[in-house]
Short mmCIF file of all heavy atoms in Angstrom, two decimals:
data_model
loop_
_atom_site.label_atom_id
_atom_site.label_comp_id
_atom_site.label_asym_id
_atom_site.label_seq_id
_atom_site.Cartn_x
_atom_site.Cartn_y
_atom_site.Cartn_z
N MET V 551 0.92 -1.24 0.00
CA MET V 551 -0.02 -0.02 0.00
C MET V 551 0.87 1.21 0.02
O MET V 551 1.87 1.33 0.72
CB MET V 551 -0.86 0.02 1.20
CG MET V 551 -1.88 1.17 1.33
SD MET V 551 -2.89 1.12 2.80
CE MET V 551 -3.97 2.42 2.49
N ASP V 552 0.56 2.14 -0.91
CA ASP V 552 1.41 3.42 -1.06
C ASP V 552 0.88 4.33 0.02
O ASP V 552 -0.22 4.34 0.52
CB ASP V 552 1.12 3.98 -2.42
CG ASP V 552 1.82 3.09 -3.45
OD1 ASP V 552 2.68 2.45 -3.23
OD2 ASP V 552 1.16 3.16 -4.67
N CYS V 553 1.88 5.27 0.43
CA CYS V 553 1.48 6.27 1.37
C CYS V 553 0.44 7.30 0.75
O CYS V 553 0.45 7.66 -0.45
CB CYS V 553 2.72 7.14 1.70
SG CYS V 553 2.37 8.47 2.89
N GLN V 554 -0.57 7.55 1.56
CA GLN V 554 -1.68 8.36 1.16
C GLN V 554 -1.56 9.86 1.52
O GLN V 554 -2.44 10.57 1.93
CB GLN V 554 -3.06 7.83 1.75
CG GLN V 554 -3.34 6.41 1.49
CD GLN V 554 -3.49 6.09 0.06
OE1 GLN V 554 -4.36 6.80 -0.60
NE2 GLN V 554 -2.80 5.23 -0.47
N LYS V 555 -0.23 10.34 1.41
CA LYS V 555 0.16 11.62 1.83
C LYS V 555 -0.82 12.77 1.36
O LYS V 555 -1.26 13.64 2.04
CB LYS V 555 1.49 11.87 1.54
CG LYS V 555 2.02 13.21 2.09
CD LYS V 555 3.51 13.46 1.79
CE LYS V 555 3.85 14.83 2.41
NZ LYS V 555 5.36 15.01 2.27
N GLU V 556 -1.09 12.71 0.01
CA GLU V 556 -1.86 13.77 -0.54
C GLU V 556 -3.29 13.85 0.03
O GLU V 556 -3.71 14.89 0.43
CB GLU V 556 -1.93 13.71 -2.09
CG GLU V 556 -0.63 14.06 -2.69
CD GLU V 556 -0.67 14.11 -4.22
OE1 GLU V 556 -1.82 14.28 -4.77
OE2 GLU V 556 0.34 14.02 -4.87
N SER V 557 -3.92 12.71 0.11
CA SER V 557 -5.26 12.70 0.66
C SER V 557 -5.16 12.96 2.23
O SER V 557 -6.10 13.63 2.77
CB SER V 557 -6.01 11.40 0.42
OG SER V 557 -5.37 10.28 0.95
N ASN V 558 -4.20 12.48 2.93
CA ASN V 558 -4.03 12.85 4.28
C ASN V 558 -3.85 14.26 4.61
O ASN V 558 -4.45 14.88 5.52
CB ASN V 558 -2.76 12.10 4.92
CG ASN V 558 -2.99 10.61 4.96
OD1 ASN V 558 -4.03 10.08 4.93
ND2 ASN V 558 -1.78 9.96 5.16
N MET V 559 -3.16 14.98 3.64
CA MET V 559 -2.97 16.30 3.83
C MET V 559 -4.31 17.22 3.73
O MET V 559 -4.39 18.26 4.41
CB MET V 559 -2.05 16.92 2.69
CG MET V 559 -0.61 16.54 2.88
SD MET V 559 0.15 17.30 4.22
CE MET V 559 0.33 18.95 3.72
N GLU V 560 -5.27 16.58 3.15
CA GLU V 560 -6.60 17.36 3.02
C GLU V 560 -7.32 17.36 4.31
O GLU V 560 -8.07 18.24 4.64
CB GLU V 560 -7.45 16.64 1.98
CG GLU V 560 -6.95 16.74 0.52
CD GLU V 560 -7.84 15.94 -0.46
OE1 GLU V 560 -8.91 15.45 0.08
OE2 GLU V 560 -7.32 15.72 -1.53
N ASN V 561 -6.86 16.38 5.26
CA ASN V 561 -7.56 16.36 6.60
C ASN V 561 -6.62 16.77 7.74
O ASN V 561 -7.04 16.75 8.85
CB ASN V 561 -8.05 14.92 6.80
CG ASN V 561 -9.06 14.48 5.83
OD1 ASN V 561 -10.03 15.22 5.56
ND2 ASN V 561 -8.86 13.32 5.24
N CYS V 562 -5.38 17.13 7.36
CA CYS V 562 -4.40 17.48 8.42
C CYS V 562 -4.66 18.81 8.94
O CYS V 562 -4.66 19.83 8.21
CB CYS V 562 -2.94 17.34 7.86
SG CYS V 562 -1.76 17.80 9.09
N ILE V 563 -4.94 18.96 10.21
CA ILE V 563 -5.17 20.30 10.82
C ILE V 563 -4.00 20.87 11.54
O ILE V 563 -4.06 21.99 12.10
CB ILE V 563 -6.43 20.23 11.80
CG1 ILE V 563 -5.99 19.32 13.04
CG2 ILE V 563 -7.66 19.65 11.19
CD1 ILE V 563 -6.91 19.63 14.25
N CYS V 564 -2.86 20.15 11.47
CA CYS V 564 -1.70 20.67 12.14
C CYS V 564 -1.21 22.01 11.67
O CYS V 564 -1.00 22.22 10.41
CB CYS V 564 -0.51 19.67 12.09
SG CYS V 564 0.99 20.20 12.83
N SER V 565 -1.05 22.93 12.59
CA SER V 565 -0.68 24.29 12.15
C SER V 565 0.81 24.62 12.25
O SER V 565 1.21 25.71 12.03
CB SER V 565 -1.53 25.36 12.89
OG SER V 565 -1.20 25.26 14.32
N TYR V 566 1.54 23.64 12.78
CA TYR V 566 3.01 23.78 12.93
C TYR V 566 3.65 23.91 11.62
O TYR V 566 3.54 23.01 10.80
CB TYR V 566 3.57 22.67 13.72
CG TYR V 566 5.01 22.97 14.17
CD1 TYR V 566 5.13 23.66 15.38
CD2 TYR V 566 6.12 22.48 13.54
CE1 TYR V 566 6.45 23.89 15.82
CE2 TYR V 566 7.41 22.73 14.01
CZ TYR V 566 7.58 23.41 15.15
OH TYR V 566 8.82 23.71 15.48
N PRO V 567 4.34 25.11 11.30
CA PRO V 567 4.89 25.31 10.06
C PRO V 567 6.13 24.48 9.67
O PRO V 567 6.97 24.29 10.60
CB PRO V 567 5.15 26.75 9.92
CG PRO V 567 5.39 27.08 11.46
CD PRO V 567 4.62 26.16 12.26
N GLY V 568 6.19 23.97 8.56
CA GLY V 568 7.51 23.37 8.00
C GLY V 568 7.78 22.04 8.44
O GLY V 568 8.97 21.52 8.29
N CYS V 569 6.84 21.30 8.99
CA CYS V 569 7.06 19.96 9.46
C CYS V 569 7.05 18.93 8.27
O CYS V 569 6.05 18.86 7.52
CB CYS V 569 6.05 19.48 10.52
SG CYS V 569 6.38 17.87 11.10
N SER V 570 8.10 18.18 8.14
CA SER V 570 8.23 17.31 7.02
C SER V 570 7.35 16.00 7.16
O SER V 570 7.18 15.22 6.29
CB SER V 570 9.71 16.76 6.81
OG SER V 570 10.14 16.03 8.00
N ARG V 571 6.76 15.86 8.42
CA ARG V 571 5.85 14.69 8.67
C ARG V 571 4.46 14.94 8.28
O ARG V 571 3.64 14.04 8.44
CB ARG V 571 5.99 14.32 10.10
CG ARG V 571 7.41 13.86 10.51
CD ARG V 571 7.44 13.46 12.03
NE ARG V 571 8.85 13.31 12.38
CZ ARG V 571 9.63 14.38 12.84
NH1 ARG V 571 9.19 15.55 12.90
NH2 ARG V 571 10.84 14.10 13.17
N LYS V 572 4.12 16.10 7.87
CA LYS V 572 2.69 16.43 7.52
C LYS V 572 2.21 15.52 6.48
O LYS V 572 2.82 15.35 5.42
CB LYS V 572 2.55 17.91 7.12
CG LYS V 572 2.43 18.80 8.35
CD LYS V 572 2.06 20.27 7.88
CE LYS V 572 2.08 21.10 9.15
NZ LYS V 572 1.96 22.50 8.80
N GLY V 573 1.13 14.91 6.69
CA GLY V 573 0.56 13.93 5.76
C GLY V 573 1.09 12.56 5.75
O GLY V 573 0.59 11.62 5.20
N VAL V 574 2.16 12.35 6.51
CA VAL V 574 2.81 11.01 6.68
C VAL V 574 2.49 10.65 8.11
O VAL V 574 3.27 10.70 9.00
CB VAL V 574 4.35 11.07 6.47
CG1 VAL V 574 4.84 9.59 6.49
CG2 VAL V 574 4.66 11.73 5.10
N CYS V 575 1.23 10.18 8.23
CA CYS V 575 0.67 9.92 9.61
C CYS V 575 1.38 8.99 10.43
O CYS V 575 1.47 9.08 11.61
CB CYS V 575 -0.82 9.60 9.51
SG CYS V 575 -1.80 10.80 8.53
N CYS V 576 1.96 7.89 9.84
CA CYS V 576 2.75 6.91 10.59
C CYS V 576 3.94 7.55 11.18
O CYS V 576 4.20 7.26 12.40
CB CYS V 576 3.05 5.69 9.71
SG CYS V 576 3.89 6.11 8.15
N GLU V 577 4.62 8.30 10.49
CA GLU V 577 5.84 8.98 11.04
C GLU V 577 5.40 10.03 12.00
O GLU V 577 6.12 10.19 13.12
CB GLU V 577 6.57 9.69 9.94
CG GLU V 577 7.36 8.76 9.05
CD GLU V 577 8.14 9.43 7.98
OE1 GLU V 577 8.38 10.63 8.05
OE2 GLU V 577 8.69 8.71 7.08
N CYS V 578 4.35 10.76 11.86
CA CYS V 578 3.77 11.77 12.78
C CYS V 578 3.43 11.06 14.12
O CYS V 578 3.88 11.57 15.15
CB CYS V 578 2.61 12.42 12.19
SG CYS V 578 1.75 13.64 13.17
N LEU V 579 2.75 10.01 14.09
CA LEU V 579 2.34 9.35 15.28
C LEU V 579 3.53 8.80 16.04
O LEU V 579 3.67 8.90 17.24
CB LEU V 579 1.35 8.25 14.95
CG LEU V 579 0.80 7.41 16.09
CD1 LEU V 579 0.02 8.31 17.11
CD2 LEU V 579 -0.13 6.24 15.64
N THR V 580 4.43 8.13 15.32
CA THR V 580 5.57 7.57 15.94
C THR V 580 6.48 8.61 16.63
O THR V 580 6.88 8.44 17.79
CB THR V 580 6.47 6.80 14.90
OG1 THR V 580 5.77 5.70 14.33
CG2 THR V 580 7.73 6.23 15.57
N TYR V 581 6.60 9.71 15.88
CA TYR V 581 7.43 10.75 16.45
C TYR V 581 6.80 11.33 17.76
O TYR V 581 7.55 11.58 18.76
CB TYR V 581 7.44 11.93 15.44
CG TYR V 581 8.10 13.23 15.91
CD1 TYR V 581 9.52 13.35 16.01
CD2 TYR V 581 7.33 14.31 16.27
CE1 TYR V 581 10.12 14.48 16.43
CE2 TYR V 581 7.91 15.43 16.74
CZ TYR V 581 9.23 15.56 16.82
OH TYR V 581 9.83 16.75 17.25
N HIS V 582 5.64 11.57 17.79
CA HIS V 582 4.98 12.11 19.00
C HIS V 582 4.91 11.09 20.16
O HIS V 582 5.10 11.37 21.28
CB HIS V 582 3.65 12.73 18.74
CG HIS V 582 3.76 14.09 18.06
ND1 HIS V 582 4.29 15.17 18.75
CD2 HIS V 582 3.58 14.49 16.83
CE1 HIS V 582 4.31 16.23 17.94
NE2 HIS V 582 3.87 15.86 16.78
N LEU V 583 4.56 9.86 19.83
CA LEU V 583 4.51 8.76 20.88
C LEU V 583 5.80 8.55 21.56
O LEU V 583 5.81 8.37 22.76
CB LEU V 583 4.02 7.50 20.30
CG LEU V 583 2.50 7.42 19.91
CD1 LEU V 583 2.13 6.06 19.28
CD2 LEU V 583 1.65 7.67 21.15
N GLN V 584 6.92 8.78 20.82
CA GLN V 584 8.19 8.61 21.42
C GLN V 584 8.48 9.68 22.61
O GLN V 584 9.27 9.41 23.47
CB GLN V 584 9.33 8.77 20.42
CG GLN V 584 9.50 7.60 19.50
CD GLN V 584 10.41 7.81 18.32
OE1 GLN V 584 10.77 8.91 18.01
NE2 GLN V 584 10.86 6.77 17.69
N SER V 585 7.72 10.76 22.46
CA SER V 585 7.85 11.76 23.52
C SER V 585 6.64 11.89 24.40
O SER V 585 6.35 12.96 25.03
CB SER V 585 8.04 13.21 22.82
OG SER V 585 9.24 13.21 22.08
N LYS V 586 5.90 10.78 24.44
CA LYS V 586 4.70 10.66 25.22
C LYS V 586 3.66 11.88 24.81
O LYS V 586 3.19 12.54 25.64
CB LYS V 586 4.92 10.71 26.62
CG LYS V 586 5.57 9.47 27.16
CD LYS V 586 5.72 9.43 28.66
CE LYS V 586 6.11 8.09 29.21
NZ LYS V 586 7.39 7.70 28.98
N GLN V 587 3.52 11.97 23.53
CA GLN V 587 2.61 13.11 22.93
C GLN V 587 1.79 12.45 21.89
O GLN V 587 1.96 11.24 21.57
CB GLN V 587 3.50 14.11 22.25
CG GLN V 587 4.43 14.88 23.21
CD GLN V 587 5.33 15.83 22.46
OE1 GLN V 587 5.38 15.79 21.20
NE2 GLN V 587 5.98 16.71 23.12
N LEU V 588 0.78 13.15 21.43
CA LEU V 588 -0.12 12.75 20.36
C LEU V 588 -0.09 13.82 19.20
O LEU V 588 0.27 14.92 19.41
CB LEU V 588 -1.52 12.65 20.87
CG LEU V 588 -1.79 11.51 21.80
CD1 LEU V 588 -3.18 11.77 22.52
CD2 LEU V 588 -1.73 10.20 21.14
N PRO V 589 -0.35 13.32 18.00
CA PRO V 589 -0.40 14.24 16.82
C PRO V 589 -1.36 15.46 17.00
O PRO V 589 -2.34 15.26 17.78
CB PRO V 589 -0.83 13.41 15.67
CG PRO V 589 -0.39 11.99 16.06
CD PRO V 589 -0.68 11.91 17.57
N GLY V 590 -1.09 16.48 16.33
CA GLY V 590 -1.95 17.64 16.43
C GLY V 590 -3.40 17.41 16.16
O GLY V 590 -4.34 17.97 16.67
N CYS V 591 -3.77 16.42 15.26
CA CYS V 591 -5.10 16.13 14.88
C CYS V 591 -5.92 15.52 16.01
O CYS V 591 -7.17 15.41 15.88
CB CYS V 591 -5.18 15.25 13.61
SG CYS V 591 -4.27 13.72 13.84
N CYS V 592 -5.32 15.11 17.10
CA CYS V 592 -6.00 14.59 18.18
C CYS V 592 -6.64 15.64 19.10
O CYS V 592 -7.38 15.41 20.07
CB CYS V 592 -5.10 13.68 19.00
SG CYS V 592 -4.49 12.30 18.14
N PHE V 593 -6.29 16.89 18.82
CA PHE V 593 -6.55 18.06 19.75
C PHE V 593 -7.69 18.91 19.08
O PHE V 593 -7.68 19.06 17.81
CB PHE V 593 -5.37 18.86 20.04
CG PHE V 593 -4.41 18.07 20.84
CD1 PHE V 593 -3.43 17.28 20.20
CD2 PHE V 593 -4.32 18.14 22.31
CE1 PHE V 593 -2.49 16.56 21.02
CE2 PHE V 593 -3.39 17.43 22.99
CZ PHE V 593 -2.49 16.65 22.30
N PRO V 594 -8.50 19.59 19.95
CA PRO V 594 -9.32 20.65 19.37
C PRO V 594 -8.47 21.72 18.73
O PRO V 594 -7.36 22.00 19.17
CB PRO V 594 -10.15 21.14 20.57
CG PRO V 594 -9.99 20.09 21.64
CD PRO V 594 -8.70 19.40 21.35
N SER V 595 -8.97 22.41 17.72
CA SER V 595 -8.23 23.38 17.09
C SER V 595 -7.46 24.43 17.96
O SER V 595 -6.33 24.70 17.71
CB SER V 595 -9.11 24.09 16.00
OG SER V 595 -8.25 24.96 15.26
N ALA V 596 -8.24 24.98 18.90
CA ALA V 596 -7.68 26.01 19.78
C ALA V 596 -6.43 25.49 20.49
O ALA V 596 -5.47 26.11 20.79
CB ALA V 596 -8.67 26.60 20.67
N VAL V 597 -6.56 24.22 21.01
CA VAL V 597 -5.48 23.61 21.78
C VAL V 597 -4.32 23.20 20.86
O VAL V 597 -3.13 23.31 21.19
CB VAL V 597 -5.97 22.38 22.57
CG1 VAL V 597 -4.84 21.70 23.40
CG2 VAL V 597 -7.14 22.80 23.46
N GLU V 598 -4.69 22.72 19.74
CA GLU V 598 -3.65 22.35 18.74
C GLU V 598 -2.65 23.52 18.47
O GLU V 598 -1.41 23.30 18.37
CB GLU V 598 -4.21 21.93 17.36
CG GLU V 598 -3.31 21.31 16.40
CD GLU V 598 -2.52 22.39 15.66
OE1 GLU V 598 -3.13 23.48 15.30
OE2 GLU V 598 -1.35 22.13 15.40
N LYS V 599 -3.20 24.70 18.48
CA LYS V 599 -2.41 25.86 18.18
C LYS V 599 -1.36 26.22 19.21
O LYS V 599 -0.56 27.04 19.04
CB LYS V 599 -3.26 27.07 17.82
CG LYS V 599 -4.01 26.88 16.47
CD LYS V 599 -4.88 28.00 16.19
CE LYS V 599 -5.62 27.99 14.90
NZ LYS V 599 -6.20 26.76 14.41
N THR V 600 -1.56 25.62 20.41
CA THR V 600 -0.62 25.91 21.45
C THR V 600 0.71 25.02 21.39
O THR V 600 1.64 25.25 22.03
CB THR V 600 -1.22 25.56 22.83
OG1 THR V 600 -1.35 24.16 23.01
CG2 THR V 600 -2.56 26.29 23.05
N TYR V 601 0.58 23.92 20.48
CA TYR V 601 1.63 22.99 20.20
C TYR V 601 2.05 22.21 21.43
O TYR V 601 3.07 21.56 21.50
CB TYR V 601 2.86 23.66 19.79
CG TYR V 601 2.69 24.42 18.43
CD1 TYR V 601 3.30 25.73 18.26
CD2 TYR V 601 1.87 24.00 17.44
CE1 TYR V 601 2.99 26.44 16.97
CE2 TYR V 601 1.61 24.68 16.28
CZ TYR V 601 2.21 25.84 16.10
OH TYR V 601 1.90 26.56 14.88
N ASP V 602 1.15 22.25 22.50
CA ASP V 602 1.36 21.36 23.66
C ASP V 602 0.58 20.03 23.28
O ASP V 602 -0.58 19.95 23.35
CB ASP V 602 0.72 21.96 24.96
CG ASP V 602 0.94 21.02 26.16
OD1 ASP V 602 1.43 19.88 26.01
OD2 ASP V 602 0.59 21.41 27.26
N ARG V 603 1.42 19.03 22.91
CA ARG V 603 0.88 17.75 22.42
C ARG V 603 0.96 16.65 23.43
O ARG V 603 0.78 15.51 23.14
CB ARG V 603 1.57 17.36 21.05
CG ARG V 603 1.75 18.45 20.00
CD ARG V 603 0.98 18.10 18.78
NE ARG V 603 1.33 18.96 17.68
CZ ARG V 603 0.57 20.03 17.39
NH1 ARG V 603 -0.44 20.41 18.15
NH2 ARG V 603 0.86 20.71 16.25
N SER V 604 1.06 17.01 24.66
CA SER V 604 1.26 16.05 25.72
C SER V 604 -0.02 15.34 26.05
O SER V 604 -1.15 15.79 25.74
CB SER V 604 1.77 16.75 27.05
OG SER V 604 0.73 17.67 27.58
N PHE V 605 0.05 14.08 26.59
CA PHE V 605 -1.08 13.28 26.97
C PHE V 605 -1.94 14.12 27.99
O PHE V 605 -3.14 14.09 27.97
CB PHE V 605 -0.60 12.03 27.63
CG PHE V 605 -0.01 10.99 26.76
CD1 PHE V 605 0.80 9.94 27.30
CD2 PHE V 605 -0.13 11.06 25.38
CE1 PHE V 605 1.35 8.99 26.45
CE2 PHE V 605 0.47 10.10 24.52
CZ PHE V 605 1.21 9.08 25.09
N LYS V 606 -1.19 14.88 28.84
CA LYS V 606 -1.85 15.74 29.86
C LYS V 606 -2.74 16.72 29.17
O LYS V 606 -3.93 16.99 29.58
CB LYS V 606 -0.85 16.29 30.81
CG LYS V 606 -1.48 17.16 31.97
CD LYS V 606 -0.30 17.57 32.87
CE LYS V 606 -0.89 18.30 34.15
NZ LYS V 606 0.18 18.79 34.97
N ALA V 607 -2.22 17.43 28.20
CA ALA V 607 -3.01 18.41 27.46
C ALA V 607 -4.13 17.79 26.73
O ALA V 607 -5.26 18.37 26.62
CB ALA V 607 -2.06 19.15 26.46
N PHE V 608 -3.97 16.59 26.23
CA PHE V 608 -5.07 15.84 25.57
C PHE V 608 -6.16 15.56 26.49
O PHE V 608 -7.31 15.81 26.18
CB PHE V 608 -4.50 14.52 24.93
CG PHE V 608 -5.50 13.64 24.37
CD1 PHE V 608 -6.00 13.87 23.08
CD2 PHE V 608 -6.15 12.64 25.10
CE1 PHE V 608 -6.92 12.93 22.50
CE2 PHE V 608 -7.05 11.73 24.56
CZ PHE V 608 -7.61 11.95 23.29
N ALA V 609 -5.84 15.08 27.76
CA ALA V 609 -6.92 14.69 28.71
C ALA V 609 -7.60 15.99 29.16
O ALA V 609 -8.83 15.99 29.24
CB ALA V 609 -6.19 14.03 29.84
N LYS V 610 -6.91 17.04 29.33
CA LYS V 610 -7.46 18.28 29.74
C LYS V 610 -8.37 18.83 28.70
O LYS V 610 -9.54 19.28 28.95
CB LYS V 610 -6.33 19.30 30.10
CG LYS V 610 -6.89 20.65 30.62
CD LYS V 610 -5.77 21.58 30.94
CE LYS V 610 -6.33 22.88 31.49
NZ LYS V 610 -5.28 23.95 31.58
N ALA V 611 -7.91 18.79 27.47
CA ALA V 611 -8.74 19.38 26.33
C ALA V 611 -10.09 18.63 26.23
O ALA V 611 -11.04 19.29 25.79
CB ALA V 611 -7.88 19.28 25.05
N TRP V 612 -10.03 17.33 26.43
CA TRP V 612 -11.25 16.58 26.20
C TRP V 612 -12.01 16.27 27.57
O TRP V 612 -12.94 15.52 27.55
CB TRP V 612 -10.95 15.27 25.51
CG TRP V 612 -10.47 15.67 24.10
CD1 TRP V 612 -9.23 15.44 23.68
CD2 TRP V 612 -11.20 16.13 22.98
NE1 TRP V 612 -9.09 15.76 22.33
CE2 TRP V 612 -10.32 16.27 21.84
CE3 TRP V 612 -12.55 16.60 22.80
CZ2 TRP V 612 -10.77 16.79 20.67
CZ3 TRP V 612 -12.87 17.07 21.63
CH2 TRP V 612 -11.99 17.12 20.52
N GLY V 613 -11.59 16.91 28.64
CA GLY V 613 -12.23 16.71 29.93
C GLY V 613 -12.18 15.28 30.52
O GLY V 613 -13.18 14.80 31.11
N LEU V 614 -11.01 14.62 30.25
CA LEU V 614 -10.99 13.27 30.73
C LEU V 614 -10.27 13.18 32.11
O LEU V 614 -9.63 13.99 32.59
CB LEU V 614 -10.05 12.43 29.73
CG LEU V 614 -10.50 12.42 28.28
CD1 LEU V 614 -9.49 11.67 27.39
CD2 LEU V 614 -11.90 11.75 28.16
S1 SF4 U 910 1.54 16.81 14.58
FE1 SF4 U 910 3.74 17.08 14.94
S2 SF4 U 910 4.72 15.53 13.57
FE2 SF4 U 910 2.59 15.77 12.97
S3 SF4 U 910 2.64 17.16 11.30
FE3 SF4 U 910 2.23 18.35 13.12
S4 SF4 U 910 4.19 19.04 13.94
FE4 SF4 U 910 4.63 17.37 12.43
#
């Protein structure tokens, strides 16, 4: 299966500029999980823009 980067990009809400992982979701997820974080698309838009991608920020954002 080929990478679906172009179609993934249509749904990518990450606002961090210049990241080479945009649209390559497997690399994005691996990168953030290594730091106990989640990709930007896991967060509400207002929280995503803070670039705090921690599990703690995720739980707080969704009231968990
Ligand atoms: S969530 Fe992180 S790794 Fe994924 S595209 Fe945005 S800045 Fe890059």
Side-chain angles (χ1 to χ4, degrees):
M551 182 178 189
D552 294 330
C553 182
Q554 305 296 307
K555 183 174 182 177
E556 285 186 24
S557 58
N558 290 343
M559 286 293 287
E560 293 174 13
N561 299 312
C562 181
I563 65 160
C564 179
S565 63
Y566 192 81
C569 180
S570 62
R571 299 177 188 89
K572 277 188 186 171
V574 188
C575 303
C576 53
E577 290 185 8
C578 175
L579 182 61
T580 299
Y581 172 77
H582 283 291
L583 285 177
Q584 286 172 343
S585 300
K586 294 189 165 70
Q587 299 174 348
L588 290 167
C591 57
C592 296
F593 296 85
S595 185
V597 181
E598 186 282 322
K599 289 177 175 52
T600 70
Y601 303 139
D602 183 351
R603 311 244 191 269
S604 64
F605 292 162
K606 188 175 179 181
F608 174 84
K610 183 179 176 188
W612 296 110
L614 303 175

